[in-house]
């Protein structure tokens, strides 16, 4: 993809009907959509990162060298809605024959999880963050006033505020493309189908099958991260879930995240007790002052 | 059709050179989901160097990383973007809330005898609320959209509830303060506003602690039971200290002294409790012991302790009253900034998040069910 005519070029490259997958039902409410990211087939090409930047016309983040393997993107942020992690492990993967020494690569394309209980959405005081008809979590840029409360509400460190812009930004699940019945740019561009987009219920079946295949082949470490409420009760499941082969921390994912609002009841209870005590102290102080004067 | 026509007809706009998108303005237009995002003004500053220390080790060469892994020690969550004005708001908002409460109680119990105290409380509530609102607005990324805070009412968001509380308390306290000297119907109106301000002053004095604990920041999340107590106690001593700096009469000074003393004792106890709650997972409590946040936390303790000591000192002296009020104010400000800095440090430490959740203090603590957090047999 060249810089020249990027807009028209991207529309041609990614536009049109997406190939593969079940035909989409016409009419009626769309079914919940999501991503199944199978990290075992990711080759770290970063086509998803590029496709995302190009389609969404996101500005670049500067060009810097981090020394973190081949990862110079570092993390998800306001202008980075897909991020490929590069993990060099000193241990081989089960069922894998290492070419040289004891070593394995883990590669993962990270993205906004579009949680069932979304910390960002539940914290947003302006109503800028909404759940769309596709069950994705979307920030309306014309409403967001940049208060920053979604940023600390996200247990995955996905959403961020861009300094020059002042508003919070994150993956939209390519809301514009979904409205036109196209799959998100990252999934479209992924050459190995590590990123699979579709109806959530179908993706779950697909992921279960893939997990079984891997285990049969001897990759006993494989497991699904955040596939449903049972596997991640704190978020009640992720609309963008992953197949991983090592602990979540290795991929910079939290092992047991929780939507902050799920647990703020004890905070409110504690505050209620404290303010009642304060009112009692005020009454005591004033009454003692009145009595003392007589 | 020229590029200009295309841009206007499609609802998009023209890219600018050097905005980091590399879209040729002669042939491309911006109409994507992020077309509206403002790009950096000075690109040269973003080039060349990573905004953090470059990783120098071969990751696979470090054997310890298998037992306590992180992703190149990069933070697992985003650091709060809030600037100094947010902890400053915590202080003035808390003081305003507690003053509203004390003023309303004084008004109910002894309206005539404590007129001076009632008026001063209302003014602290009014000025604190106004100043606090200004502090919050300047922290916004888009300050001109501050009214969007009152666009929805969202019970899951303490910030949303707090915005409504602040929006109710500030006009009520201001109205009550402005009409304090009036007579007749206006006086009745002022007293009604004063009572209303006292009622919303209750949550105003402490909701900011719930706001902090309703986040993914480990130390804030972990201290969700004790932090509200600390913030309310701190609000009490903040309001009392400000009142003590005004010329109160002897009886009023006694009232404020008792109110402030209760706040200071509760505050010291709450600081110990916060430390204890934060340190249930060692890594989570670390920012209260180390770094800038640790130093601020210790100074807050010393200042609050000194103020408490002077409050307990027998006998009366104007100089001592002023000294304890100044120390109490400084301690209350220090504790808000310490908590903010501790949160930033906590967010930067991926192990704080990981250790806390591995210790069963993540989703499992709420739901009672563990998450799938590793290969079969590993977790």
């Amino acid at each position: 993809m060249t810089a020249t005519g990027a807009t028209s070029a991207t529309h041609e490259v990614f536009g049109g009907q997406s190939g593969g997958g079940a035909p989409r039902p016409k009419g009626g409410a769309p079914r919940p959509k999501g991503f199944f990211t199978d990290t075992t087939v990711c080759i770290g090409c970063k086509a998803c990162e590029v496709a995302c930047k190009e389609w969404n016309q996101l500005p670049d983040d500067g060009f810097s060298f981090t020394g973190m393997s081949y990862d110079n993107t570092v993390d998800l942020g306001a202008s980075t809605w897909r991020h490929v992690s590069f993990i060099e492990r000193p241990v081989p993967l089960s069922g894998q024959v290492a070419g040289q020494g004891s070593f394995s690569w883990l590669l993962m394309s990270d993205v906004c999880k579009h949680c069932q209980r979304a910390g960002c959405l539940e914290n947003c005081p302006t109503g800028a963050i909404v759940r769309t008809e596709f069950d994705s979590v979307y920030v309306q840029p014309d409403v967001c006033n940049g208060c920053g409360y979604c940023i600390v509400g996200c247990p995955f460190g996905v959403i961020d505020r861009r300094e020059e812009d002042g508003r919070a930004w994150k993956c939209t699940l390519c809301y514009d493309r979904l409205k036109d019945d196209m799959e998100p740019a990252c999934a479209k561009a992924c050459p190995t189908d590590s990123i699979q987009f579709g109806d959530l219920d179908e993706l779950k079946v697909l992921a279960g099958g893939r997990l079984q295949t891997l285990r049969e082949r001897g990759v006993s470490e494989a497991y699904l991260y955040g596939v449903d409420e049972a596997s991640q009760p704190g978020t009640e499941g992720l609309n963008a879930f992953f197949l991983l082969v090592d602990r979540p921390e290795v991929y910079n994912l939290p092992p047991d995240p929780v939507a902050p609002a799920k647990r703020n009841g004890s905070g409110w209870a504690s505050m209620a007790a404290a303010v009642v005590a304060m009112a009692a102290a005020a009454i005591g102080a004033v009454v003692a002052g009145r009595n003392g004067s007589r | 059709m020229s590029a200009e026509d295309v841009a206007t007809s499609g609802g998009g706009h023209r890219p600018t050179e050097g905005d980091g998108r590399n879209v040729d303005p002669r042939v491309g237009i911006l109409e994507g989901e992020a077309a509206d995002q403002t790009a950096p003004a000075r690109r040269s500053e973003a080039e060349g160097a990573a905004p953090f220390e470059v990783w120098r080790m071969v990751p696979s060469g470090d054997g310890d990383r298998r037992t306590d892994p992180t992703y190149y020690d990069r933070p697992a969550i985003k650091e709060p973007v809030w600037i100094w004005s947010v902890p400053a708001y915590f202080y003035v908002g808390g003081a305003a809330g507690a003053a509203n409460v004390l003023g309303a109680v004084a008004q109910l119990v002894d309206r005539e005898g404590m007129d001076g105290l009632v008026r001063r409380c209302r003014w602290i509530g009014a000025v604190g609320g106004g100043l606090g609102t200004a502090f919050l607005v300047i922290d916004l990324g888009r300050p001109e959209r501050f009214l969007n805070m009152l666009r929805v009412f969202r019970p899951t968001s303490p910030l949303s509830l707090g915005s409504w509380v602040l929006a109710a308390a500030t006009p009520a306290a201001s109205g009550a303060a402005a009409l304090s000297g009036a007579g007749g119907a206006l006086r009745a109106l002022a007293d009604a506003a004063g009572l209303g301000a006292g009622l919303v002053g209750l949550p105003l004095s402490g909701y900011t602690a719930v706001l902090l604990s309703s986040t993914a920041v480990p130390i804030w999340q972990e201290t969700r039971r004790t932090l509200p107590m600390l913030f309310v106690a701190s609000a009490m001593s903040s309001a009392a200290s400000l009142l003590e700096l005004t010329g109160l009469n002897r009886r009023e000074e006694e009232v404020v002294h008792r109110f402030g003393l209760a706040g200071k004792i509760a505050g010291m106890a709450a600081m110990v409790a916060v430390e204890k709650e934060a340190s249930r997972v060692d890594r989570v409590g670390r920012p209260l012991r180390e770094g800038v946040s640790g130093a601020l936390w210790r100074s807050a303790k010393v200042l609050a302790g000194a103020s408490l000591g002077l409050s307990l000192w027998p006998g009366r002296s104007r100089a001592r009253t002023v000294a304890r009020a100044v120390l109490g104010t400084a301690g209350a400000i220090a504790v808000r900034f310490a908590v903010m800095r501790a949160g930033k440090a906590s967010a930067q430490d991926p192990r704080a998040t990981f250790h806390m959740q591995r210790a069963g203090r993540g989703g499992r603590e709420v739901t009672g069910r563990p998450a799938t957090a590793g290969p079969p047999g590993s977790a």
Side-chain angles (χ1 to χ4, degrees), chain B:
Chain B
M1 206 151 88
S2 75
E4 195 74 61
D5 296 334
V6 171
T8 41
S9 67
H13 55 270
R14 300 280 299 277
T16 48
E17 292 278 8
D19 68 354
R21 291 185 177 88
N22 300 320
V23 175
D24 188 332
R26 286 167 303 178
V27 285
I29 57 162
L30 296 184
E31 56 170 9
E33 291 280 8
D36 200 22
Q37 187 172 107
T38 311
R42 281 170 296 177
R43 293 217 40 82
S44 58
E45 288 180 12
E47 305 280 348
F52 52 85
E53 203 177 341
V54 167
W55 188 266
R56 290 172 196 289
M57 280 176 269
V58 178
S60 55
D62 183 355
D64 291 345
R65 306 196 54 73
R66 295 301 307 154
T67 53
D68 190 14
T70 64
Y71 186 70
Y72 301 94
D73 290 349
R74 297 302 305 153
I77 55 169
K78 291 281 180 289
E79 192 184 317
V81 292
W82 296 323
I83 58 170
W84 62 270
S85 67
V86 172
Y89 162 71
F90 291 170
Y91 166 73
V92 293
N100 283 348
V101 171
L102 184 62
V105 169
Q107 173 194 322
L108 276 176
V109 175
D110 192 0
R111 178 72 183 86
E112 297 310 317
M114 294 189 190
D115 186 56
L117 178 63
V118 170
R119 286 186 193 209
R120 285 179 175 85
C121 283
R122 289 174 179 177
W123 278 113
I124 290 176
V127 175
L131 200 59
T133 306
F135 280 153
L136 288 182
V137 170
I138 61 169
D139 174 67
L140 293 178
R142 292 283 171 116
E144 71 278 10
R145 295 186 184 173
F146 76 97
L147 273 177
N148 282 6
M149 288 294 186
L150 304 182
R151 190 174 161 268
V152 296
F153 179 81
R154 181 162 276 164
T156 54
S157 171
L159 183 44
S160 174
L161 299 181
S163 299
W164 286 103
V165 163
L166 184 63
T170 307
S174 305
L179 298 175
S180 281
L186 282 181
R187 184 187 167 92
L189 188 66
D191 283 359
L195 284 183
L199 207 60
V200 282
L202 291 167
L204 182 60
S205 62
Y207 88 88
T208 46
V210 187
L211 184 153
L212 290 184
S213 53
S214 296
T215 63
V217 176
I219 195 167
W220 292 345
Q221 211 179 92
E222 189 71 340
T223 56
R224 63 191 180 279
R225 288 175 203 86
T226 51
L227 207 57
M229 297 176 186
L230 175 61
F231 273 33
V232 171
S234 173
M236 289 169 74
S237 71
S238 305
S241 296
L242 289 175
L243 285 165
E244 280 176 338
L245 290 172
T246 65
L248 295 165
N249 69 35
R250 172 117 191 219
R251 272 179 54 213
E252 291 166 343
E253 201 173 297
E254 279 298 307
V255 168
V256 170
H257 170 67
R258 286 193 200 94
F259 185 68
L261 189 61
K264 284 170 196 173
I265 293 170
M268 292 304 286
M271 285 186 94
V272 175
V274 165
E275 275 177 34
K276 208 175 159 208
E277 194 176 33
S279 300
R280 290 188 300 185
V281 176
D282 181 68
R283 194 85 186 189
V284 175
R286 190 178 274 197
L288 293 182
R289 301 188 294 268
E290 293 175 8
V292 179
S293 52
L296 275 168
W297 183 257
R298 281 190 297 278
S299 357
K301 268 204 219 169
V302 169
L303 291 165
S307 179
L308 175 60
L310 285 179
S311 298
L312 291 169
W313 200 287
R316 288 181 82 242
S317 129
R318 180 66 193 155
R320 210 155 56 222
T321 303
V322 170
R324 78 183 183 212
V326 170
L327 286 169
T329 302
I333 294 172
V335 85
R336 311 301 185 135
F337 277 85
V339 169
M340 179 58 64
R341 287 301 295 247
K344 293 199 173 197
S346 189
Q348 282 174 339
D349 180 6
R351 288 193 173 90
T353 295
F354 297 158
H355 289 192
M356 182 175 157
Q357 294 181 9
R358 284 289 176 191
R361 301 189 176 281
R364 184 178 187 170
E365 196 180 3
V366 192
T367 62
R369 284 169 290 136
T372 307
S378 74

Side-chain angles (χ1 to χ4, degrees), chain A residues 235-261:
Chain A
T235 59
E236 297 180 8
L238 310 173
N239 285 12
F241 60 96
F242 300 83
L243 190 151
L244 306 177
V245 292
D246 202 341
R247 289 191 284 168
E249 291 95 323
V250 171
Y251 302 90
N252 213 11
L253 291 171
D256 188 13
V258 55

